[in-house]
Amino acid sequence: MNATLRKFGTPAALALSLSLSGGAALAAAEDVVIEDVEFSFEGPFGSFDPLQLQRGLKVYTEVCSACHGMKYVPIRTLGDEGGPQLPEDQVRAYAEQYEVFDEEIDDYRAAKPSDHFPESMLENAPDLSLMAKKRAGFHGPYGTGINQFLKGMGGPEYIYSLMTGYHETPECAPDDFPGSYNAAFGAGGFPEECKDEEGHHTVPGSWINMAQPIYDDSVEFDDGSPADLESASKDVAAFLTWTAEPKLMARKYAGLTGVLFLTVLSVLLYLTNKRIWAPIKGKKKD
């Protein structure tokens, strides 16, 4: 069945198109400001916080989905273990916010959990399904290095820093320069007035085509959690990490199981080797 999904009652696009996945490469590490944020899912024993993912889902639904889609994410996964873990009735109710054009009936119908999130209706607004994997927040020599070894790729940190990286336009920039100044975005436009004699940037970041999407109290969380800019940005960054890595916890458990198995196997091989060679090594030469 070929079905086209669209947002039911989608509001008008909030802002200019997002350059989040623009073709230009990100600027060097010293030209952008990426904050190292602590997330619950980091480290070998970390895991997603279902309540945080639920809050992030709300931020995405009420703010981000006006411009951006997640066409690779099935709605039914909102109830999966390790994810937001919504009850089945809530997953079904959430799906019904959208409608699907069903070619079999040649008409629109309410979406089901088996359908995917809608894709963006804007050509220049990138899909957010895999954005946390696509973007590397931390850089070192040749694009890798010690920062990524210690802190990871930094995809969620990049999203968080981008959401909180909007600042007042630097004094060096002309008033009519297009876009919004963002200290975490390094692939946008940059005025010549903000470069020194050697062409180096005098301020971090660049000008992005997307206006600031999240502000303090942009959403209201049902559990009374803080909805300031930093908290909401962290929640949506965690949610987009889950959409990009929905099996992250399963992979961690599999890796831990593998390490334990190899450890036990190594001990058994050592004891076996010692037992086999003990009689031979114990013989004295005549």
Side-chain angles (χ1 to χ4, degrees), residues 236-257:
V236 75
F239 174 71
L240 292 177
T241 301
W242 171 76
T243 65
E245 292 278 10
K247 302 300 182 183
L248 179 62
M249 298 303 101
R251 293 212 320 270
K252 286 186 177 183
Y253 296 149
L256 179 60
T257 301

Side-chain angles (χ1 to χ4, degrees), residues 3-143:
T4 302
L5 187 65
R6 72 178 184 180
K7 179 70 179 290
F8 183 74
T10 302
L14 292 177
L16 301 173
S17 62
L18 174 62
S19 298
L20 189 62
S21 63
L26 288 176
E30 62 269 21
D31 292 334
V32 294
V33 179
I34 305 297
E35 296 187 43
D36 186 14
V37 184
E38 292 187 5
F39 288 97
S40 63
F41 50 81
E42 294 180 327
F45 304 106
S47 61
F48 287 117
D49 178 0
L51 294 180
Q52 183 179 48
L53 297 185
Q54 292 175 19
R55 296 194 298 268
L57 171 63
K58 188 166 188 176
V59 176
Y60 168 79
T61 304
E62 297 187 5
V63 180
C64 308
S65 66
C67 297
H68 302 279
M70 293 195 303
K71 62 182 179 180
Y72 299 113
V73 181
I75 298 175
R76 59 176 170 74
T77 58
L78 295 177
D80 288 354
E81 185 177 354
Q85 298 183 15
L86 295 182
E88 184 177 348
D89 59 332
Q90 292 186 21
V91 175
R92 189 179 301 107
Y94 184 87
E96 292 175 353
Q97 296 181 82
Y98 307 100
E99 60 177 15
V100 172
F101 181 79
D102 194 333
E103 292 186 353
E104 290 189 356
I105 62 176
D106 194 28
D107 199 359
Y108 286 95
R109 62 167 173 79
K112 301 177 182 178
S114 57
D115 293 308
H116 285 217
F117 278 82
E119 57 184 304
S120 174
M121 303 300 290
L122 303 177
E123 293 183 0
N124 294 327
D127 188 88
L128 299 183
S129 305
L130 305 175
M131 190 55 65
K133 289 181 66 175
K134 187 173 183 180
R135 282 290 172 241
F138 303 122
H139 296 265
Y142 310 107

Side-chain angles (χ1 to χ4, degrees), residues 80 106 180 191 197 208 275:
D80 288 354
D106 194 28
S180 301
E197 296 178 354
I208 187 173
R275 183 180 182 86

